Structures are given as structure tokens and as C-alpha cells.
């Protein structure tokens, strides 16, 4: 390492281990400690070591100025990256990154900060495909917030040979700031807290930095005064008189602030003013200083450099140590500091920096409109958190109350719903009635139902709808959201009128996005009311859907269509829609929407019999959902994990997760989503052969929901949940209650639900002793589920069919049916259902067969068929169905090794002749 690192052997070894570890995937190394402890020196040493290995390095040094600009650190990190790498990104990512880095103007819509972060992640992973990559950030705590959020986003998701190296303060200024480093594998994060130097180590450091030997008393006093801080110690070394032997009265500074004061002593007013300007500027350059102070400023900058106060990096300026900037700040009065900010506002070219300088200068009348304009500018670049900060500065300077609502919206966009709610809580009582207040209530309602409370969201939206003087566009938006909330509260009938009102209003507006949302929501409500899928309306919604228009996720037509197809068993139609949505959200870094999509994929893959894929989807959904940190996201995570566990037969795990999810859903008031864990628990108990427990879980809720009019629920697994409830009720002898549910499934269900309804009807018939009719209904259920390719449901229908056949003493038919069921359960990895199938098979007693292997039923069927009778005539003679005749003949053909009736006739003729010969010989 060519960077001069004295001592720190453990830290140097950690650097080498960190770089070695990159071949196994992402890793992070964090140096933290007090100012002056040596963090930057180690970071620069690690950068050199990485480059010597041939690794690519992206680096930035976060500035300590309070005037930090949006994405300034990210711009430094991305500087020098081949433009072709960015050009190859998906368009949404490329456009967002270009807007953030000022490589192009903002488009028609605000750049999405998640798309910016996703673009950076894509760039990092592409670069790492060519060679190991290291991202190095000095003074992490001082990153501008938009850049910090990108760092956080990428760190949690990054894959490949990528290392993240940072330095950060462990206390003092900047502690607790954003930009925390969290990897998917926390064990691959190495945090090194830098300790002060021991006396011997500090002595060796000082010996390296001076030509003359130091007296022992000098090194002891330096160690005592510096506390082993290397920067402090080196500054004290410079303060010693020639020869290194301080006289007794020599005043050795007792802390770093005194050291800084000593370094800044005797500057003179002109140089001090130059240094103050450098301290307040976000990105100080020689040109800006000369523009502000005239040509003579260049010579003053040379003086500052000679005194080791400033360093030049090309035309850019920075303090030799961040502590010096703080020292300058401490030396001047607040009024002098404000005056310098106002002076710099006149020379900086960036509107965001100008706005911040005016705000810090307390120039209220001039600052407020500039802050407003700057907020719009940075929001368009994809920095909503910075936009919110600028608006809050304007509010502190007396800006109007409507700025508080805009700041809240920006905070919500940036993921800070807590601060958004605080601002809205203050703003709403002070807003004038009508549109402004209704819109603020709408925003607060969205935050509430995204987080954890549908009842609160309903109350807020009803207040908003009651406001007078609301324009048509906002009225449609309110009706859409209130109808959506009512649906999720299970009050679909109440939502019907609002959905139609929203659709009617949207049709009068020149806004295809709102029309699409209105069409999608009305299709959802109609379906929930038992009116089926309105295919034409849904198709029009999909046609009008615009991918570039910001749309609430649950009102997005493609998502609504995927749900409706999923809940009606059209898995092959739902799958491409969900996959396309996942790709879409992934390109934009939309974690919330992507998490919901992954959650839906859990159900789809379970129903499709792909348990391994379902488990992967559940893990991905959980990882993304838990990052959102809301009650509803935790509930969805637990529900998905529970469903996979139930399918896989892990009963205790399934119960624990499902019950926690159910509790969370009930606490948030999300009535329809509670069906998800309920259906899992009910199915689990049926798979364990416990209809009593299943009936207790599902019975009352299913009957109550059916009675409420939610006859074709778009809830999680609605139709199947009803079927499980009916099956459980039959199992405990509550036939009339089961009949109510089964009749509803038969009347309103789609092919999938009708198949479930047929299975339950078969159970009811069987419970009443009509086994032939029960067998016929169960055969219909098997056929229905075979066409839909829902293996578990087909296996369950086969299991019940086999039971009925066994009770009818059709041993061979029951055996074949149950073996089919067992093969399905084993192939999809459902051991509890497989155990039931094995138990049924063990109860079968096969009839003894004749010498040729035919059972009595098979032999009688063969003789009658060989005599020339048709299958129908054979069935009438034997009092069985033609289907049973086909089954018996098929088995006879296989056992006898023949393929046609002609061969059967010949075989039976020979058999009868042989039997006649045997009888003749016996008589003789």
C-alpha cells in the first residue's frame, strides 16, 4: 500500500480480507471512529490496494457543508463511467438517472427516485461482471439524502463481486444520518471501530513524521494531550519548538477544537473570508471564489494551500481536514455566517444551492419563491426527500400552508410516511374548505391504507367527499379510492355506486389513466357482486392503461386483471400479467408494488403445484415486504410463508405464521385480505383430517360473507375458501349450512369454483347415502380440475372419489383412483394429503382373481362383451354405468394382453371350451 499507513495492522489485514472476499459476492467494510482517528487514511489505502489488484473503484468524498445538493455524491460516484453502460439500461432507469445527474432535462413526469436507485444498482452489477468493483465513500454521515437513499437501496440488493467501503463518524455531527449499510447477508459486513494509538504506536508515528528524534517527555505529553488521536498528535508535533523539547510553560492544546483554533490563528480578515466562503459552498471551485472576491482571491487560495488549510483537486477546493471547516464556522458570528450565504447565493449557478443559501441567510421574502421553484426542480430529478426539505425551509420562513401538503406528499413519495402524516395533521385544520382540504384528506387516507388502517382511511375519504366545490378530477379520484377501501373492508355493495360514479365521471374527463382506473375498479366490484368478469370493460381498461402515468397499485388495470384471472383459476392467463408487472416494477425499483406481485405469485405457484417456485416467491416477497415496515406488509409476508408451509405439511410453522397474519389484518381492518390466512388454516386442518377444526375456522366466516352478498369474492383464495368451508361443514354433519355455500358456488362460480362446488356436492350426496350420484359429481370435479391444471385440487377430488368408490366396494377402481391422487400429492410435495391417500389405500381389500387374473366383475363384463353386446347393453345387464364397463374392459384387455373385441371373443371362446373339457373329464 503506497498510502502511508502507520500501524493499524489489524485494519490493513481486514482490507485484504475484504478484497479477497469479493469473489464470493457482496461484502462491506466500515471504518468508524472519532474525527482525526485515521478513517480517511485507511480508506484511501484500501482504494489503492484495490486498484493494484485490478479492481474497478468508484469513490466519493461527502462534503461537510450544510449546503448539500441533491445527488451530488452520486454524481461523483458515477463520474467517469462509460456512457455505453448507462445507454444499455432499460429506458425508465436510463431516463431517471440522466435526470438525477443533470445529463438531460426532466421529462413530462417527475423522475421516480426508485428508478434512479435501480439504475445505479444495474450499473454496479454490470460493471462487476467485467471485474471486481469497489464503491468507496468517505464520511458516509454527510451524504446528501438522495444519494444516501440510493446507497441504502443498492446495498440491500446488490449481487456479484461488489465491495462497499465506507468511513463514518461513530458520534458527533452526522451520527444517525441516512446511508446505513445493510447487506442481504449481514455476516459479510465488517465494522471496524478505530481505537486511539497506544503510546508505542504513536511514538513510531511521530518518529516517521519528524527528522529529529523526540525527547521521551515530548512524546508522552503529546500522547497524553491527544488521547492517542493521530491527527491531534501530528498537529501537536507541529506546535513543538525546534528540537522537540517543550519548555515547561509551553501551552499544549487540550482538545481538537483548540488545535483548529491554533491552525486558524492569524489568518487576516481577507483570507478568513475566503475560507468562510469555501466552508458554505456545496461544491467550492476556484472560479466561484474568484467570481465572488475578484482576481486577487487566487493568491489568497495559494496562501491557504501553503498553510495546509485547503487542498486543490483540479479546480475544486476542499479543506485539508473537515474539522477546519467547523473551526471556521465557530470563529464567526451568526450574522457574518448569514451574510456569506447571501453573498454566495448571487454567484452559484444551481437553483437548489441558491435557494439553500437564501434560506440560511434568512432572506425570507426572496427565499420562499426560490425554495418553491427549487423544490419542483429537485422533485423532477427524482429527489422527493430533498424537495420536502426545501419546502419545510420555506415554511420556516413564513411560506403558505399549502406548501406543507406538498412537503407531505414528497415525504410520502420518499418513503417517510411518519413525517408526511405529521405535516398533514398540522396542515388540514388550517386549509380552506373545498379542493385543497379534500386533496389533503385524500393523501392522508392513502398513507393510512398503505400503512395499517382501512377504517381510518374510509373516514378520511368520506370527509373529503363531503367537501363542497371539489373539481371533477379530484371527485373521481376520491370516489375511486373510497370504493377501493370499501371493497377491502368487505362492503362491496356500498362500493358499487361509488365505482359507477367514478367511472361515469372519468368518462367525461380527457384523462385516459383515470378512465382505465374506473373501468378496472368497476370490473372488480361487478365480479365481487357475482356478475362475472366483464371482459370488454377489462380489455378497454388494459388498452387505456399508461405505464408512464403514476397509478395506485390496486387500481392498475393489469394488476386487477391478473387478480381476477387468478381467482377464477385461469392461471395461464394470470401468470404472464403478473410476470410482466414484476419486470415492470423491477425496472423502476418499485419495491412496494413488486412485493405485492411476489405475494400473488406465492398463491399462483401453490395452486399450479410448483411448491419450490412458491417458496422462492414467498422468500422474495417477505424480504421486500418487511423492508416496507408497515403492519399490512408484515401480514402479507406472514400469510405467504404460512401458505407455503401448509402445502409442504409443516403444520406448526403454518399455524404460527397464519395466526400472526390474521391478527395483523384484523387490526388494520383489511377484511378481505384476512381470507388469505383463514383459507390457509382451513386447508391445513382438512389436510390433517380434522374437519371440526376447519369448520371452526372457516364455517361462520364463510356463511356470513356469503350472506353479505360477496358471492364471488376477489379475496385471497375466495372460491377455494368457500369450498373448504363447505367440505368442513359436511364433515361435521352441518349439511344445510354446507348446502348454502355449495349452491352459491354452483350458481356463481367459474370453472374452477364449479369444480370445487361439484366436489362439495359429491360430499353432500355421499353424506345422504346417494353414492352413485356422489361418484358422478366427483368424477365431474376431477375432470374440471384436470382441464384447469390445478393439481392439488384434482388430487383432492380424486381422494374423495376413491373413498366413495371404496364404500361402493369398487376396490380396483378405488385403488387406481387413490394411486392417482397419491402420485399427484407426492409430485407437488404435499405430504399431509399424501398420507391421507396412503391411509385410504391401506383400507382397500382387493377381490381374488381367477387364473387369468380377471376379477369376477371383469370376467362377467368380458363374457358379456364377447357375446356381442354393446357397452350400454352390458351396463344394463350388470346394473352399472357404461363408464364402469369401459373401465372393466380396459383392465381385462391389459391383463389378457389383447387389444380388440375380436381377440377378446377368441380368448373367451377358448376359455369356455377349456372349462367345458375340464367339466367333462370330471364327470367321466
Amino acid at each position: 500500500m503506497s498510502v502511508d499507513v502507520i500501524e493499524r495492522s489489524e485494519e490493513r489485514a481486514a482490507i485484504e480480507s475484504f478484497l479477497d472476499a469479493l469473489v464470493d459476492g457482496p461484502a462491506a467494510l466500515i471504518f468508524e471512529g472519532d474525527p482525526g482517528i485515521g478513517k480517511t487514511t485507511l480508506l484511501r489505502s484500501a482504494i489503492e490496494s484495490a486498484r493494484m489488484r485490478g479492481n474497478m473503484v468508484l469513490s466519493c468524498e461527502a462534503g461537510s457543508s450544510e449546503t448539500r445538493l441533491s445527488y451530488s455524491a452520486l454524481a461523483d460516484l458515477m463520474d467517469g463511467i462509460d456512457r455505453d453502460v448507462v445507454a444499455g439500461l432499460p429506458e425508465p432507469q436510463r431516463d431517471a438517472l440522466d435526470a438525477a445527474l443533470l445529463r438531460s432535462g426532466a421529462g413530462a413526469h417527475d423522475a421516480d427516485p426508485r428508478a434512479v436507485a435501480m439504475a445505479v444498482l444495474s450499473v454496479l452489477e454490470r460493471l462487476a461482471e467485467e471485474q471486481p468493483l469497489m464503491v468507496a465513500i468517505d464520511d458516509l454521515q454527510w451524504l446528501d439524502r438522495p444519494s444516501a437513499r440510493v446507497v441504502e437501496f443498492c446495498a440491500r440488493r446488490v449481487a456479484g463481486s461488489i465491495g462497499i467501503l465506507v468511513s463514518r463518524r461513530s458520534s458527533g455531527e452526522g451520527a444517525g444520518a441516512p446511508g446505513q449499510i445493510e447487506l442481504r447477508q449481514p455476516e459479510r459486513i465488517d465494522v471496524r471501530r478505530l481505537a486511539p494509538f497506544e503510546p508505542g504506536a504513536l511514538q513510531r508515528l511521530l518518529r516517521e513524521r519528524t527528522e529529529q528524534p523526540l525527547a521521551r517527555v515530548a512524546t508522552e505529553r503529546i500522547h497524553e494531550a491527544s488521547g492517542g488521536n493521530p491527527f491531534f498528535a501530528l498537529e501537536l508535533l507541529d506546535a513543538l519548538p525546534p528540537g522537540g523539547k517543550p519548555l515547561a510553560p509551553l501551552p499544549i492544546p487540550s482538545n481538537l477544537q483548540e488545535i483548529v483554533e491554533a491552525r486558524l490563528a492569524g489568518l487576516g480578515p481577507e483570507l478568513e473570508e475566503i475560507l468562510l466562503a469555501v466552508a458554505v459552498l456545496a461544491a467550492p471551485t476556484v472560479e466561484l471564489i474568484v467570481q465572488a472576491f475578484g482576481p486577487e482571491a487566487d493568491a489568497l487560495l495559494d496562501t491557504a494551500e501553503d498553510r495546509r488549510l485547503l487542498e486543490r483537486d483540479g479546480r475544486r477546493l476542499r479543506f485539508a481536514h473537515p474539522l477546519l471547516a467547523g473551526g471556521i464556522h465557530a470563529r464567526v458570528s451568526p450574522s457574518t455566517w448569514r451574510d456569506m450565504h447571501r453573498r454566495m447565493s448571487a454567484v452559484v449557478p444551481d437553483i437548489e444551492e441558491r435557494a439553500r443559501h437564501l434560506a440560511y441567510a434568512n432572506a425570507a421574502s426572496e427565499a420562499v419563491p426560490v425554495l418553491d421553484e427549487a423544490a419542483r426542480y429537485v422533485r423532477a430529478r427524482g429527489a422527493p426527500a430533498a424537495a420536502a426539505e426545501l419546502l419545510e425551509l420555506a415554511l420556516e420562513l413564513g411560506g403558505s400552508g399549502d406548501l406543507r401538503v406538498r412537503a407531505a406528499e414528497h415525504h410520502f413519495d420518499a418513503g417517510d410516511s411518519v413525517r408526511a402524516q405529521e405535516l398533514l395533521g398540522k396542515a388540514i385544520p388550517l386549509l380552506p374548505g373545498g379542493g385543497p382540504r379534500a386533496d389533503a384528506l385524500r393523501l392522508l387516507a392513502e398513507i393510512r391504507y398503505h400503512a395499517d388502517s382501512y377504517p381510518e382511511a374510509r373516514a378520511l375519504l368520506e370527509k373529503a367527499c363531503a367537501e363542497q366545490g371539489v373539481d371533477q378530477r379530484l371527485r373521481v379520484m376520491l370516489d375511486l379510492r373510497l370504493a377501493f377501501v370499501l371493497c377491502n373492508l368487505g362492503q362491496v355493495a356500498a362500493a358499487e355506486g361509488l365505482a359507477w360514479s367514478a367511472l361515469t365521471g372519468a368518462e367525461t374527463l380527457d384523462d385516459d389513466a383515470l378512465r382505465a382506473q374506473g373501468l378496472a375498479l368497476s370490473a372488480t366490484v361487478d365480479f365481487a357482486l357475482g356478475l362475472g368478469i366483464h371482459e370488454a370493460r377489462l380489455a378497454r381498461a388494459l388498452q387505456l392503461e399508461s405505464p408512464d402515468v403514476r397509478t395506485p397499485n390496486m387500481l392498475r388495470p393489469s394488476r386487477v386483471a391478473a387478480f381476477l384471472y387468478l381467482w377464477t383459476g385461469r392461471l395461464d392467463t394470470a401468470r404472464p400479467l403478473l410476470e410482466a408487472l414484476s419486470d415492470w416494477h423491477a425496472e423502476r425499483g418499485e419495491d412496494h408494488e413488486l412485493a405485492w406481485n411476489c405475494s400473488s405469485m406465492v398463491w399462483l405457484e401453490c395452486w399450479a403445484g410448483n411448491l419450490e417456485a412458491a417458496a422462492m416467491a414467498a422468500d422474495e416477497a417477505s424480504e421486500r415486504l418487511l423492508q416496507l415496515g408497515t403492519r399490512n406488509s408484515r401480514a402479507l409476508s406472514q400469510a405467504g410463508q404460512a401458505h407455503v408451509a401448509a402445502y409442504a405439511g409443516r403444520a406448526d410453522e403454518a399455524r404460527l405464521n397464519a395466526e400472526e397474519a390474521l391478527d395483523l389484518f384484523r387490526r388494520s381492518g383489511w377484511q378481505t385480505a384476512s381470507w388469505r390466512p383463514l383459507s390457509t388454516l382451513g386447508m391445513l386442518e382438512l389436510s390433517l383430517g380434522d374437519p371440526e377444526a376447519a369448520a371452526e375456522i372457516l364455517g361462520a366466516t364463510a356463511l356470513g360473507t356469503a350472506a353479505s352478498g360477496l358471492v364471488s369474492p376477489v379475496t385471497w383464495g375466495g372460491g377455494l375458501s368457500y369450498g373448504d368451508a363447505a367440505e368442513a361443514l359436511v364433515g361435521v354433519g352441518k349439511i344445510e349450512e354446507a348446502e348454502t355455500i355449495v349452491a352459491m358456488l354452483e350458481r356463481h362460480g367459474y370453472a374452477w369454483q364449479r369444480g370445487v362446488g361439484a366436489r362439495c356436492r359429491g360430499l353432500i350426496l355421499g353424506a345422504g347415502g346417494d353414492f352413485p350420484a356422489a361418484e358422478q359429481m366427483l368424477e365431474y370435479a376431477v375432470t374440471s380440475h384436470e382441464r384447469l391444471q390445478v393439481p392439488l385440487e384434482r388430487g383432492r377430488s380424486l381422494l374423495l372419489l376413491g373413498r366413495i368408490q371404496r364404500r361402493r366396494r369398487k376396490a380396483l377402481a378405488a385403488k387406481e383412483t387413490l394411486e392417482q391422487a397419491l402420485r399427484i400429492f407426492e409430485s407437488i410435495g404435499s405430504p399431509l394429503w399424501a398420507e391421507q391417500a396412503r391411509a385410504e389405500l391401506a383400507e382397500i381389500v382387493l377381490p381374488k382373481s381367477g387364473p387369468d387374473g380377471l376379477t369376477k366383475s371383469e370376467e362377467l363384463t368380458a363374457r358379456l362383451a364377447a357375446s356381442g353386446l354393446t357397452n350400454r347393453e352390458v351396463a344394463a345387464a350388470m346394473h352399472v354405468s357404461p363408464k364402469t364397463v369401459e373401465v372393466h374392459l380396459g383392465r381385462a384387455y391389459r391383463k389378457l394382453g389383447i387389444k380388440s373385441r375380436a381377440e377378446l371373443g377368441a380368448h373367451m371362446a377358448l376359455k369356455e371350451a377349456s372349462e367345458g373339457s375340464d367339466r367333462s373329464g370330471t364327470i367321466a
Side-chain angles (χ1 to χ4, degrees):
M1 299 181 183
S2 59
V3 173
D4 190 10
V5 178
I6 308 299
E7 300 301 320
R8 303 293 190 196
S9 58
E10 290 185 7
E11 286 77 10
R12 285 183 287 166
I15 290 172
E16 297 305 322
S17 297
F18 161 68
L19 295 173
D20 290 340
L22 298 189
V23 297
D24 298 322
L29 177 60
I30 300 172
F31 292 124
E32 66 177 25
D34 297 332
I37 203 69
K39 304 182 299 293
T40 298
T41 300
L42 282 166
L43 184 135
R44 293 176 180 176
S45 176
I47 290 174
E48 283 204 7
S49 185
R51 285 175 173 153
M52 289 172 62
R53 289 170 174 245
N55 296 0
M56 184 176 185
V57 177
L58 304 178
S59 65
C60 72
E61 296 180 7
S64 60
S65 169
E66 63 187 340
T67 318
R68 297 169 204 152
L69 302 185
S70 301
Y71 291 126
S72 56
L74 180 62
D76 286 345
L77 280 175
M78 297 287 104
D79 186 38
I81 291 177
D82 192 329
R83 182 63 186 168
D84 290 342
V85 177
V86 177
L89 295 174
E91 185 177 347
Q93 295 180 27
R94 184 179 66 247
D95 291 348
L97 184 59
D98 283 345
L101 300 182
L102 299 176
R103 292 172 177 170
S104 66
H109 307 284
D110 292 342
D112 192 323
R114 298 169 298 182
V116 176
M118 194 66 207
V120 175
L121 178 62
S122 299
V123 167
L124 297 181
E125 292 183 343
R126 289 184 182 201
L127 293 173
E129 291 174 0
E130 303 296 327
Q131 61 192 118
L133 172 68
M134 186 169 77
V135 177
I137 303 171
D138 198 11
D139 281 322
L140 182 71
Q141 74 280 351
W142 282 329
L143 283 182
D144 63 275
R145 287 188 176 273
S147 295
R149 290 178 183 275
V150 171
V151 171
E152 292 172 352
F153 180 96
C154 293
R156 288 195 300 265
R157 295 160 182 82
V158 72
S161 299
I162 299 177
I164 301 174
L165 173 71
V166 302
S167 70
R168 68 186 183 198
R169 288 192 180 182
S170 54
S171 61
E173 183 183 352
Q180 302 305 306
I181 303 301
E182 297 177 8
L183 299 181
R184 287 183 179 180
Q185 296 176 280
E187 69 276 8
R188 290 180 62 80
I189 302 177
D190 184 4
V191 180
R192 297 280 167 160
R193 177 77 166 87
L194 300 188
F197 278 20
E198 294 295 330
L202 189 66
Q203 184 177 25
R204 289 188 289 274
L205 170 66
L206 298 175
R207 189 183 304 129
E208 290 285 335
R209 298 298 177 91
T210 181
E211 295 180 358
Q212 298 180 354
L214 288 173
R216 182 174 180 178
V217 64
T219 58
E220 288 176 351
R221 292 186 66 187
I222 288 175
H223 184 271
E224 181 182 355
S226 68
N229 183 296
F231 173 78
F232 194 174
L234 291 173
E235 292 296 318
L236 288 172
L237 178 64
D238 288 343
L240 288 177
K245 297 179 180 180
L247 302 175
L250 177 68
I252 295 181
S254 60
N255 56 52
L256 281 174
Q257 185 58 48
E258 289 186 19
I259 283 287
V260 171
E261 285 292 329
R263 286 282 299 276
L264 297 176
L267 290 178
E270 292 179 341
L271 182 53
E272 185 168 307
E273 194 174 41
I274 294 288
L275 292 176
L276 180 58
V278 173
V280 303
L281 285 168
T285 64
V286 174
E287 286 76 15
L288 283 175
I289 297 300
V290 170
Q291 183 180 349
F293 297 97
E296 61 274 13
D298 210 347
L300 290 170
L301 291 174
D302 289 338
T303 301
E305 193 172 9
D306 291 341
R307 293 185 60 168
R308 294 187 295 109
L309 299 173
L310 293 180
E311 296 176 352
R312 300 194 195 207
D313 182 4
R315 304 297 288 173
R316 296 178 67 173
L317 299 169
R318 67 183 175 212
F319 280 95
H321 196 281
L323 288 169
L324 297 172
I328 285 291
H329 193 171
R331 288 170 62 87
V332 301
S333 67
S335 61
T336 302
W337 187 256
R338 289 194 298 270
D339 289 345
M340 183 56 69
H341 273 296
R342 174 175 276 283
R343 187 170 182 177
M344 292 302 100
S345 72
V347 297
V348 293
D350 186 272
I351 187 172
E352 180 187 2
E353 185 170 6
R354 179 167 178 254
R356 290 182 182 277
H357 283 309
L358 287 170
Y360 301 147
N362 205 24
S365 60
E366 189 179 353
V368 169
V370 179
L371 286 163
D372 188 350
E373 183 182 357
R376 299 179 192 277
Y377 168 72
V378 299
R379 179 62 190 91
R381 292 175 57 202
E389 183 182 351
L390 291 168
L391 291 176
E392 291 202 58
L393 285 172
L395 286 165
E396 291 175 8
L397 295 172
S400 60
D402 64 302
L403 298 181
R404 190 171 281 111
V405 178
R406 283 178 47 209
E409 186 168 17
H410 294 327
H411 278 303
F412 183 43
D413 289 345
D416 189 352
S417 60
V418 173
R419 181 57 180 158
Q421 291 179 82
E422 290 174 356
L423 288 169
L424 288 170
K426 295 177 181 177
I428 289 172
L430 303 177
L431 288 172
R437 186 181 298 165
D439 198 37
L441 288 165
R442 185 262 322 157
L443 177 59
L444 184 55
E446 287 187 12
I447 295 171
R448 297 307 298 144
Y449 70 65
H450 273 294
D452 53 20
S453 181
Y454 278 88
E456 287 183 30
R458 175 186 179 176
L460 290 165
L461 287 168
E462 287 175 341
K463 285 183 181 179
C465 288
E467 291 288 334
Q468 301 298 313
V470 175
D471 65 37
Q472 181 73 348
R473 188 174 188 281
L474 180 55
R475 178 67 62 191
V476 170
M477 292 173 65
L478 293 172
D479 286 347
L480 284 170
R481 284 152 180 78
L482 182 53
F484 160 72
V485 167
L486 287 170
C487 280
N488 282 281
L489 287 168
Q491 300 178 30
V492 182
E496 183 181 17
L498 285 165
W500 276 106
S501 173
L503 178 56
T504 303
E507 292 288 9
T508 67
L509 298 171
D510 185 21
D511 190 328
D512 284 347
L514 279 180
R515 288 194 192 103
Q517 294 172 38
L519 289 163
L521 181 65
S522 66
T524 300
V525 172
D526 281 0
F527 178 78
L529 290 170
L531 303 178
I533 296 178
H534 198 300
E535 299 285 357
R537 196 181 305 152
L538 200 56
R540 183 166 176 246
L542 290 169
Q543 183 181 15
L544 291 174
E545 181 179 20
S546 174
D548 297 322
V549 175
R550 183 176 175 181
T551 302
N553 195 37
M554 296 305 295
L555 296 175
R556 188 178 292 278
S558 50
R559 182 167 179 79
V560 169
F563 274 11
L564 296 185
Y565 295 142
L566 184 59
W567 306 144
T568 52
R570 294 158 66 176
L571 305 188
D572 289 344
T573 308
R575 182 184 295 278
L577 282 171
L578 288 173
E579 290 175 345
L581 278 170
S582 291
D583 291 342
W584 173 262
H585 296 316
E587 283 185 356
R588 289 156 178 76
E590 296 172 348
D591 272 11
H592 186 281
E593 294 83 351
L594 189 56
W596 280 56
N597 247 42
C598 291
S599 185
S600 300
M601 290 299 291
V602 174
W603 255 248
L604 186 147
E605 298 294 5
C606 280
W607 291 340
N610 303 323
L611 194 57
E612 183 176 350
M616 292 175 62
D619 288 344
E620 183 177 358
S622 291
E623 181 180 349
R624 297 180 184 281
L625 286 164
L626 294 177
Q627 288 174 5
L628 302 177
T630 67
R631 182 184 296 162
N632 286 339
S633 62
R634 292 199 308 275
L636 286 173
S637 169
Q638 298 297 96
Q641 294 289 353
H643 204 60
V644 172
Y647 262 66
R650 302 192 298 272
D652 291 342
E653 178 187 341
R655 284 197 190 97
L656 181 65
N657 285 327
E659 287 167 359
E660 183 174 344
L662 186 59
D663 176 63
L664 291 168
F665 282 136
R666 285 173 172 165
R667 286 161 57 194
S668 73
W670 193 359
Q671 181 66 29
T672 52
S674 66
W675 269 101
R676 177 176 265 204
L678 275 175
S679 67
T680 296
L681 288 168
M683 187 271 288
L684 174 65
E685 298 302 340
L686 288 174
S687 71
L688 289 165
D690 190 347
E692 290 84 3
E696 184 177 348
I697 292 166
L698 295 176
T701 307
L703 289 167
T705 309
S708 73
L710 198 64
V711 291
S712 287
V714 288
T715 57
W716 305 114
L720 292 183
S721 302
Y722 280 150
D724 287 347
E727 183 173 335
L729 290 168
V730 172
V732 297
K734 296 183 178 181
I735 307 302
E736 289 185 8
E737 289 91 334
E739 173 67 38
T740 300
I741 297 172
V742 173
M744 184 193 67
L745 287 170
E746 293 171 334
R747 184 171 65 251
H748 297 287
Y750 283 76
W752 190 359
Q753 285 88 339
R754 285 199 301 273
V756 173
R759 184 169 74 212
C760 296
R761 175 64 64 191
L763 282 171
I764 290 175
L765 291 168
D770 191 350
F771 297 132
E775 183 176 12
Q776 186 176 4
M777 290 304 297
L778 289 167
E779 286 174 346
Y780 172 78
V782 169
T783 304
S784 296
H785 291 135
E786 184 174 14
R787 286 197 302 267
L788 288 168
Q789 298 180 345
V790 188
L792 182 65
E793 298 311 307
R794 182 166 181 265
R796 290 177 61 180
S797 295
L798 284 166
L799 176 62
L800 295 177
L801 175 60
R803 285 176 179 165
I804 290 293
Q805 289 170 334
R806 186 171 69 81
R807 293 189 69 177
R808 297 192 68 194
R809 298 185 179 179
K810 296 181 175 183
L812 284 173
K815 180 176 182 295
E816 185 173 327
T817 300
L818 292 168
E819 285 175 344
Q820 285 187 62
L822 179 58
R823 285 194 294 271
I824 289 173
F825 297 144
E826 289 179 336
S827 69
I828 63 177
S830 290
L832 298 179
W833 290 110
E835 186 177 335
Q836 288 197 41
R838 291 192 193 95
E840 290 292 333
L841 283 167
E843 295 294 321
I844 294 175
V845 178
L846 294 175
K848 295 182 180 180
S849 58
D852 51 11
L854 298 181
T855 64
K856 291 181 179 180
S857 296
E858 291 166 352
E859 183 173 347
L860 177 57
T861 302
R863 287 184 186 277
L864 291 172
S867 70
L869 296 180
T870 65
N871 284 5
R872 189 171 296 278
E873 291 169 336
V874 173
M878 295 180 63
H879 303 290
V880 297
S881 69
K883 179 70 173 177
T884 302
V885 172
E886 290 178 11
V887 171
H888 288 332
L889 282 177
R891 292 175 182 152
Y893 281 11
R894 288 195 297 273
K895 292 177 180 180
L896 299 176
I898 60 179
K899 297 182 179 179
S900 67
R901 288 214 175 197
E903 291 180 274
L904 179 63
H907 176 85
M908 298 310 293
L910 287 172
K911 183 174 182 179
E912 288 180 4
S914 173
E915 290 171 349
S917 173
D918 289 343
R919 285 194 294 273
S920 298
T922 302
I923 293 172

